[in-house]
Amino acid sequence: MKIQPFFATLFDSYFIALGVLIGGSIIGSLSAFLTGKPPLTEAYRISNIIRIWAIIAAIGGTFDTLYSFEKGVLQGETKDIFKQFLLILSAFGGAQTGAMLINWLTQEHIS
């Protein structure tokens, strides 16, 4: 398996989290529609529930991240810790963007 450049991985992390959150919310709202629940309200609720799972899916699970942190701390490679922090931050950004888009689509809880 070829290792991707860091910036490509950074963008992948952002858009994977965005896609998981938007896709999961839309498919979940379709199932809510089929069962007679309000689809827009369910899409908003689902987007809040699956936000952490979108982040975990984007960073590729927690074991690789923990291994990189261990390598950074025990072997003194602070560059790896910084890269993992940026990947997690990128996944947070993608999940937050997806949640904002679902919020704008559904118009839930606007003050």
Side-chain angles (χ1 to χ4, degrees):
M1 187 171 143
K2 186 177 179 184
I3 298 176
Q4 289 185 344
F6 176 68
F7 287 109
T9 307
L10 198 66
F11 286 120
D12 284 350
S13 177
Y14 178 84
F15 286 108
I16 288 171
L18 179 70
V20 166
L21 201 117
I22 290 176
S25 297
I26 290 174
I27 297 299
S29 68
L30 178 64
S31 71
F33 173 74
L34 294 175
T35 58
K37 296 179 182 175
L40 294 178
T41 303
E42 286 297 309
Y44 177 76
R45 188 184 67 79
I46 291 170
S47 74
N48 287 330
I49 291 172
I50 66 171
R51 187 177 298 174
I52 189 68
W53 295 108
I55 295 167
I56 290 171
I59 62 173
T62 58
F63 294 115
D64 292 336
T65 305
L66 290 176
Y67 176 71
S68 293
F69 277 125
E70 176 191 18
K71 188 172 145 183
V73 171
L74 296 180
Q75 296 178 2
E77 297 181 16
T78 56
K79 186 170 69 169
D80 287 336
I81 292 175
F82 186 68
K83 283 183 178 181
Q84 287 300 316
F85 177 72
L86 287 178
L87 285 174
I88 293 169
L89 193 65
S90 176
F92 271 114
Q96 183 63 27
T97 303
M100 282 177 38
L101 287 173
I102 294 296
N103 193 12
W104 288 343
L105 263 169
T106 61
Q107 297 293 312
E108 291 285 327
H109 301 291
I110 295 179
S111 40

